[in-house]
Each structure stands twice: as C-alpha cells, then as structure tokens.
Amino acid sequence: MLAHELKPSKEIQATILEIQNKLAKKQKRKPLLISKRGQALLEKAKGTLKQGDLKVTLKAYKRIPNKDKKHALVIAFKQELDSRIKENVKQGIKLGRKLYSQGKIEQALAVWNDLRELDPDNEYLISHIERAQRVIEKLDKLKKQESTISPPSQSNGKN
C-alpha cells in the first residue's frame, strides 16, 4: 500500500518527462565548438605532423587552449600524435642502442637526449641516457688519469 503512495501521479510523470525532453534538446543544441585560435593551431599541428616534425607538432598542440582539447577533432589528433611519438621514440631507442653497441656512446646519447624532448617521462629512455652518461664520465676519468701517468722509461739493456 505504501509503495502505491510513493508512485508519482500521471501529472508528475508527465512533468518529469517534459523536463527530461527539454534538457535533452538543450544538450543537443550545445555542440562542443572549437575556437578560431584552437582551429588554427590544430591546422598548424596537422601540417607539421604531415611533414614529420614531431617536436614542432607537439609544441603547436600544447598551445591549443585546454577547452578546445575536449573537442573530438583535437582528441583524435592527439591520439595520432601520441602514436607517432611512441613509434618514433621506439625506433630512436633502437638506433641509439645500435650506436651504443658500436662504441659510439656520445652519438647514442645525442639521439636519446633528442628523443627525451618528445617523451620526457619515458623511464626506459631515461635509463639509457643515464647509463650512457655514466660511461662517458668514466671514460673521461680514464683519459685524465692516462694523461697524468708518464710512460715508463725505456732502457736499452745497458746497466
């Protein structure tokens, strides 16, 4: 019996339905629009991405206003950019490892430091950079020690 009393009347149900319809219409009328500045920056970013310049593309994306970053076009673009950055970093780490294994430590470090601008929080990349820096420091210490040690004097066998 109490459950019957809690059930809204037909008038209240009609009012609730009317309010729900009005809300739905208002939500449909307010599509998320991208600002002119956001659109211009997005177009610039798309152009630099086509050219393959990921650093400039990332900078352009970061300049897009935060409110525009909620727009579906910007979200889709960011996903594409992230994918390209991930692949570029993966290939760059591989190249750096090849250089490193060939003893070209400074060249490998240069490649990895360049990648760090694209993916500064990549722990795998950071570990490679730190290891290369330690090796270079040790090599520098050895070179300094080598230059301070005089070569042994040569004797011609006559005493």
Side-chain angles (χ1 to χ4, degrees):
M1 218 155 118
L2 287 175
H4 180 69
E5 289 179 21
L6 291 175
K7 188 176 179 184
S9 67
K10 290 189 181 209
E11 293 170 359
I12 292 175
Q13 285 178 335
T15 304
I16 291 171
L17 187 60
E18 185 180 327
I19 291 170
Q20 287 176 335
N21 287 335
K22 285 181 182 178
L23 286 173
K25 286 180 184 177
K26 285 185 179 183
Q27 287 175 350
K28 288 178 185 175
R29 275 190 254 148
K30 287 188 174 180
L32 186 59
L33 299 176
I34 190 167
S35 70
K36 287 185 180 186
R37 181 172 184 261
Q39 181 67 36
L41 288 167
L42 179 61
E43 291 305 316
K44 178 182 178 183
K46 284 180 178 181
T48 56
L49 185 62
K50 282 182 184 177
Q51 295 169 358
D53 194 339
L54 296 177
K55 287 182 193 175
V56 174
T57 303
L58 187 58
K59 286 178 185 175
Y61 171 78
K62 287 179 179 180
R63 290 178 42 217
I64 294 173
N66 285 335
K67 64 177 181 162
D68 291 334
K69 289 181 180 175
K70 296 174 186 172
H71 192 279
L73 291 175
V74 179
I75 291 170
F77 174 78
K78 179 67 164 102
Q79 290 172 341
E80 171 67 20
L81 176 59
D82 287 345
S83 173
R84 296 273 297 270
I85 287 173
K86 184 178 178 180
E87 184 59 31
N88 187 273
V89 169
K90 180 180 170 185
Q91 293 300 318
I93 289 173
K94 190 175 180 179
L95 171 63
R97 289 181 62 155
K98 185 175 181 179
L99 291 168
Y100 185 91
S101 68
Q102 294 171 352
K104 300 175 182 176
I105 311 300
E106 290 180 358
Q107 290 175 323
L109 184 59
V111 168
W112 292 330
N113 278 327
D114 193 45
L115 293 173
R116 194 170 189 179
E117 291 179 44
L118 292 174
D119 194 0
D121 300 324
N122 186 316
E123 292 295 325
Y124 187 62
L125 177 60
I126 291 168
S127 70
H128 280 73
I129 291 169
E130 290 172 349
R131 182 177 42 173
Q133 288 172 333
R134 285 191 306 271
V135 169
I136 289 172
E137 287 171 11
K138 287 180 182 179
L139 288 173
D140 287 344
K141 281 183 184 179
L142 287 173
K143 285 178 186 176
K144 287 179 184 175
Q145 285 177 353
E146 190 177 278
S147 65
T148 59
I149 300 173
S150 57
S153 60
Q154 292 189 355
S155 60
N156 27 343
K158 297 178 185 174
N159 287 350

